[in-house]
Amino acid sequence: MKWLLWGACIAACGLVLRGYAAGHLRKHKQLAVSGPYAFTRNPLYLGSILLAAGFSVASHSWVSTLLLAAYLAIFYPAVIRREQTELKALYGAAFVEYAAQVPAFWPRLSPATPSTEHFSWPLYRQNREYEATIGLAVAMAILWALMLWRR
């Protein structure tokens, strides 16, 4: 049970990061540079990695951990590169300047630039980030049920 609780706590950190990012993201309308985007260009992916890490801890399974890690290591770098190319094509010099200041993945310790923009619940809902919360709840419920069944 302790693994499930620790994993849920780690995953909750990922959900908070993803939710915070979704509340600053105006897809294909404006380059996101506020909120967590002032620290990392890919806060949604960083949040997803925390979710995966939480699930791995909760499952207490080396097999699931290795499978998740392999999936993330194989697919995320390619997806991030593709998205960076799309953002450069869409926003040009503004993205190039942003990318020069903000790391692609591991966050800076301080924001690259101050911003007056704030988290937006309507953007959070529009970006449908609540689906990640539902998915995590279902995954943790399944792990909990498996724990009870194995007893």
Side-chain angles (χ1 to χ4, degrees), residues 65-77 79:
T65 300
L66 289 174
L67 290 173
L68 279 169
Y71 173 83
L72 295 171
I74 291 168
F75 291 106
Y76 269 23
V79 170

Side-chain angles (χ1 to χ4, degrees), residues 3-69:
W3 293 107
L4 185 68
L5 293 174
W6 277 108
C9 289
I10 295 167
C13 291
L15 278 179
V16 168
L17 179 55
R18 285 188 57 87
Y20 184 41
H24 285 269
L25 181 61
R26 291 170 176 82
K27 290 181 185 177
H28 307 296
K29 294 179 183 167
Q30 178 183 342
L31 181 61
V33 297
S34 63
Y37 292 94
F39 296 88
T40 173
R41 295 195 312 260
N42 293 286
L44 288 167
Y45 293 132
L46 183 56
S48 293
I49 291 202
L50 287 171
L51 279 168
F55 180 81
S56 293
V57 168
S59 70
H60 196 55
S61 163
W62 285 105
V63 172
S64 71
T65 300
L66 289 174
L67 290 173
L68 279 169

